[in-house]
Amino acid sequence: MSSHTHSDPPLIPGPPPVAGLLLAAGGGRRLGGRPKALLPYRGRPLVENAVRVLREAGCGPVHVVLGASAAEVRERADLAGCVVVDNPDWAEGMGSSLRVGLASLAGTGAGAALVSLVDQPGIGPAAVARVRAAYRSPASLVAAAYGGERGHPVLFGADRWADIAATATGDKGARVHLARHAEELMLVECSDIAEAFDIDTPPDLERLL
């Protein structure tokens, strides 16, 4: 009798996971210094909605970068199941949060990071899933588009993380990398299923009602 009779079939590896990376460190300077992660939305902190959207779109693991009032956000928001990292330099702008977030994903085996912003509640799971579905390889570079204009979320294959971290300064985020590699960027139109507004100023708060 062959020793292979009872062996299991070989495991066919699936694609590496697309991690969700939520940037939620902003201090809401134009909102009178109210941290955006804690703005009320449907009775709960806004950051919880953003985490739910990433999960429902099939992203995992989900890493959350906090900054302004990080201790209070940890206390008041339910971030169970997320990897939560603090960005002590959050006031320098989005670039520093992106660097911290990408560093936290090192070694997770994720093939890409799908980056979303905490203050865009008009972008739901359908749009995020559409961007995620465009992942092809660790070299993938994908962004949601609204009327042909690049917006969020953005998907960065793992092969790109080092260069993005090296060029993400101030409020530029990944703009330098995106400009350098514009011909490689795949835009995924999402204006039919999402609205890409930000919550930046007091009048914007009406959109959270």
Side-chain angles (χ1 to χ4, degrees):
M1 187 168 116
S2 161
S3 60
H4 295 293
T5 311
H6 299 294
S7 66
D8 294 321
L11 287 172
I12 300 168
V18 173
L21 178 54
L22 175 62
L23 304 185
R29 186 170 42 86
R30 286 180 285 172
L31 291 167
R34 298 166 68 185
K36 291 185 175 183
L38 288 176
L39 293 173
Y41 181 64
R42 297 177 180 171
R44 297 297 305 164
L46 188 57
V47 66
E48 290 182 14
N49 172 72
V51 167
R52 176 188 61 79
V53 166
L54 286 170
R55 286 211 174 107
E56 289 186 7
C59 296
V62 174
H63 287 219
V64 181
V65 181
L66 300 180
S69 306
E72 188 184 356
V73 176
R74 286 171 184 268
E75 196 176 297
R76 289 178 48 194
D78 178 6
L79 300 175
C82 298
V83 174
V84 183
V85 289
D86 290 344
N87 173 19
D89 302 318
W90 64 269
E92 290 178 8
M94 193 194 301
S96 62
S97 291
L98 187 55
R99 290 198 307 271
V100 167
L102 290 175
S104 75
L105 286 169
T108 60
L114 192 146
V115 180
S116 68
L117 308 180
V118 74
D119 67 341
Q120 294 190 319
I123 300 174
V128 177
R130 193 178 280 183
V131 173
R132 177 180 169 272
Y135 171 77
R136 295 292 177 270
S137 78
S140 288
L141 186 62
V142 186
Y146 302 88
E149 295 290 313
R150 173 171 60 79
H152 281 87
V154 185
L155 182 146
F156 301 117
D159 289 355
R160 298 182 178 274
W161 296 354
D163 184 66
I164 291 168
T167 56
T169 56
D171 253 333
K172 289 194 178 74
R175 274 185 230 145
V176 174
H177 186 88
L178 288 164
R180 281 183 187 162
H181 301 275
E183 71 287 348
E184 298 158 47
L185 175 65
M186 178 193 290
L187 292 178
V188 178
E189 187 60 46
C190 291
S191 58
D192 57 319
I193 50 173
E195 288 185 273
F197 58 84
D198 301 331
I199 306 297
D200 280 333
T201 62
D204 296 335
L205 294 173
E206 291 181 10
R207 291 180 177 269
L208 293 176
L209 301 177

